[in-house]
């Protein structure tokens, strides 16, 4: 996370660093795993912090000393579900909630002149004031199985917040206000006909609809367009695996997990493919099982495409690739 002349980095083993953007010199660091006794979850720590004013707000989810670090079964929190650090010094400014950490990242928003921070924790959605950490409410939302994670970021549009996961309940849309919320629609009531079940990708909102990859596994994932306010599925496109989307100028750049790059029109009426490309790798590159040609972007291509100054950055198993979108 870049903020003025500082860069904040959080590693999968729990190290939180602040370094100078100019020369990489360390300014401060905190070992979150040791200080807060974080019990190992399935994939280490994977929630990105956010900057709000003079604060760096992070999901932490620490546990009492002596908790079992070999499993997260029955893990308890010690009030450090979310921790705000002084962004200049790394000192703790406040710690709130008994929720454990997920792989979703905090989302900041202004609703009716009030600042909010929404954290989709391991057990559900927390809504609070980022200035002082005062919690407004908690909305429970997690699958009833141990082998599940919440990983998609909340999507905030106006006074509504969408959360989604793929292991059980699916998605829910909330109307929020200080001290309370109302459920607009919920996949929990739809049985098997769920609207949207995002895995690690976050759905992208555009003109009243959200677009995202729905499904836990490669063979059942579908790219979907869903009406944001009703949860009604507008269209669903199978066969792309678990894909990641980045919106730009009326289009989506779509990276499929086996390396195909697609350009899609942002169209709620149908899946509209504009163009597609498979980047060819050298002959010594690893082949994908079942495919004859080597690909430059190999499975698992799970990171969302990044676009900056006419350049497109995409990542696969072994390569980071920069493509020129606008010819000279």
């Amino acid at each position: 996370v870049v903020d003025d002349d500082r860069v904040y980095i959080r590693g999968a083993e729990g190290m939180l660093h602040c370094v100078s953007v100019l020369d990489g010199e360390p300014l401060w660091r905190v070992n979150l795993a040791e200080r807060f006794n974080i019990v190992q979850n399935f994939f280490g720590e994977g929630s990105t912090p956010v900057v709000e004013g003079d604060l760096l707000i992070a999901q932490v989810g620490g546990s009492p000393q002596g908790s079992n670090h070999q499993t997260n079964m029955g893990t308890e929190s010690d009030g450090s579900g979310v921790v705000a650090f002084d962004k200049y010094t790394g000192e703790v400014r406040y710690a709130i909630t008994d929720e454990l950490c997920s792989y979703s990242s905090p989302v900041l928003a202004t609703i009716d002149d009030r600042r909010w921070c929404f954290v989709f924790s391991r057990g559900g959605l927390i809504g609070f004031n980022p200035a002082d950490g005062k919690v407004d409410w908690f909305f429970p939302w997690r699958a009833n199985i141990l082998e599940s994670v919440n990983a998609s970021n909340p999507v905030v549009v106006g006074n509504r917040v969408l959360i989604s996961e793929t292991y059980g309940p699916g998605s829910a849309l909330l109307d929020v206000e200080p001290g309370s919320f109302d459920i607009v629609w919920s996949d929990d009531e739809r049985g098997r006909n769920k609207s949207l079940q995002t895995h690690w990708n976050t759905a992208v909102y555009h003109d009243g609809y959200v677009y995202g990859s729905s499904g836990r596994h490669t063979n059942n994932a579908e790219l979907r367009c869903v009406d944001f306010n009703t949860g009604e599925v507008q269209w669903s496109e199978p066969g792309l695996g678990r894909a990641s989307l980045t919106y730009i100028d009326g289009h989506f750049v779509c990276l499929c997990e086996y390396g195909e790059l697609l350009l899609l029109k942002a169209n709620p009426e149908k899946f509209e493919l504009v163009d597609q490309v498979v980047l060819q790798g050298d002959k010594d590159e690893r082949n994908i099982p079942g495919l004859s040609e080597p690909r430059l972007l190999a499975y698992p291509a799970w990171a969302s495409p990044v676009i900056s100054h006419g350049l497109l950055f995409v990542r696969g198993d072994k390569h980071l690739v920069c493509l020129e979108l606008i010819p000279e």
Side-chain angles (χ1 to χ4, degrees), residues 19-34:
V19 302
S20 167
V21 74
L22 296 177
D23 54 17
E25 278 295 308
L27 301 177
W28 57 261
R29 69 177 182 178
V30 177
N31 188 326
L32 301 177
E34 287 188 0

Side-chain angles (χ1 to χ4, degrees), residues 200 242 256-259 286 298-303 315-318:
W200 60 77
R242 294 166 294 186
C256 302
E257 61 181 325
Y258 282 94
R286 186 183 73 176
Y299 175 91
W302 287 347
R315 193 184 107 190
D317 178 43
K318 295 182 178 180

Side-chain angles (χ1 to χ4, degrees), residues 47-64:
S47 176
T48 302
V50 294
V51 173
E52 172 74 356
D54 292 340
L55 302 177
L56 182 74
I57 300 173
Q59 271 206 87
V60 172
S63 297

Side-chain angles (χ1 to χ4, degrees), residues 32-40 60-69 71-72 74-81 98-101 122:
L32 301 177
E34 287 188 0
R35 179 165 182 178
F36 296 97
N37 193 46
I38 299 175
V39 175
Q40 173 69 45
V60 172
S63 297
Q65 292 298 321
S67 297
N68 187 351
H69 278 256
T71 175
N72 61 19
T75 300
E76 296 180 353
S77 179
D78 65 350
S80 60
D98 283 328
E99 282 301 304
L100 295 173
C101 193
R122 194 178 305 183

Side-chain angles (χ1 to χ4, degrees), residues 151-167:
S152 296
N153 296 348
V155 177
V156 184
V157 180
N159 68 331
R160 292 184 167 179
V161 183
L162 176 73
I163 54 175
S164 184
E165 64 80 63
T166 194
Y167 295 84

Side-chain angles (χ1 to χ4, degrees), residues 74 91 106 110 123 172 180 182 201 222 250 256 281:
E91 295 299 313
T110 299
S180 66
D182 291 314
N201 73 108
E222 299 179 345
C256 302

Side-chain angles (χ1 to χ4, degrees), residues 1 29 97 129 143 180 196 252 269-270 281 312 323 327:
V1 176
R29 69 177 182 178
T97 88
N129 188 325
S180 66
L196 187 66
F252 290 106
E269 296 181 359
K270 63 178 182 179
L312 171 65
L323 303 172

Side-chain angles (χ1 to χ4, degrees), residues 63-322:
S63 297
Q65 292 298 321
S67 297
N68 187 351
H69 278 256
Q70 302 304 313
T71 175
N72 61 19
M73 292 183 65
T75 300
E76 296 180 353
S77 179
D78 65 350
S80 60
V82 179
V83 178
F85 300 89
D86 185 303
K87 73 177 184 180
Y88 299 107
T89 66
E91 295 299 313
V92 173
R93 296 276 287 272
Y94 65 74
I96 57 173
T97 88
D98 283 328
E99 282 301 304
L100 295 173
C101 193
S102 72
Y103 298 94
S104 174
S105 298
V107 171
L108 296 160
T110 299
I111 301 174
D112 295 330
D113 298 323
R114 150 77 197 274
R115 288 294 282 168
W116 286 83
C117 186
F118 299 103
V119 171
F120 191 21
S121 67
R122 194 178 305 183
L125 183 66
I126 309 162
F128 66 97
N129 188 325
D132 57 13
K134 181 182 177 182
V135 177
D136 285 89
W137 40 259
F138 173 72
F139 175 63
W141 199 255
R142 188 190 178 189
N144 294 321
I145 56 174
L146 172 65
E147 295 81 7
S148 67
V149 300
N150 291 335
S152 296
N153 296 348
V155 177
V156 184
V157 180
N159 68 331
R160 292 184 167 179
V161 183
L162 176 73
I163 54 175
S164 184
E165 64 80 63
T166 194
Y167 295 84
S171 296
L173 182 68
L174 306 181
D175 258 334
V176 305
E177 60 181 77
S180 66
F181 63 84
D182 291 314
I183 301 174
V184 180
W185 60 264
S186 166
D187 267 342
D188 209 20
E189 303 171 352
R190 301 174 190 249
R192 295 186 177 184
N193 298 316
K194 300 186 187 304
S195 296
L196 187 66
Q197 293 181 283
T198 58
H199 199 171
W200 60 77
N201 73 108
T202 297
V204 181
Y205 176 88
H206 179 64
D207 285 351
Y209 302 90
V210 285
Y211 301 78
S213 183
S214 181
R216 180 177 175 182
H217 301 292
T218 302
N219 60 351
N220 68 3
E222 299 179 345
L223 189 64
R224 289 189 172 184
C225 173
V226 176
D227 188 300
F228 181 76
N229 291 304
T230 67
E232 294 181 5
V233 177
Q234 305 302 297
W235 54 257
S236 190
E237 183 72 15
L240 303 178
R242 294 166 294 186
S244 298
L245 297 176
T246 298
Y247 174 83
I248 181 169
D249 193 25
H251 296 76
F252 290 106
V253 176
C254 175
L255 176 61
C256 302
E257 61 181 325
Y258 282 94
E260 302 93 341
L261 265 174
L262 312 179
L263 183 65
L264 310 174
K265 189 76 173 176
N267 185 349
E269 296 181 359
K270 63 178 182 179
F271 173 82
E272 186 173 348
L273 178 65
V274 177
D275 206 349
Q276 61 184 327
V277 64
V278 175
L279 300 176
Q280 299 298 312
D282 296 331
K283 62 181 180 179
D284 59 343
E285 297 289 349
R286 186 183 73 176
N287 284 331
I288 299 172
L291 298 175
S292 58
E293 79 283 1
R295 293 187 175 186
L296 188 59
L297 293 174
Y299 175 91
W302 287 347
S304 295
V306 173
I307 299 167
S308 178
H309 295 85
L311 300 176
L312 171 65
F313 300 87
V314 284
R315 193 184 107 190
D317 178 43
K318 295 182 178 180
H319 293 95
L320 174 67
V321 181
C322 177

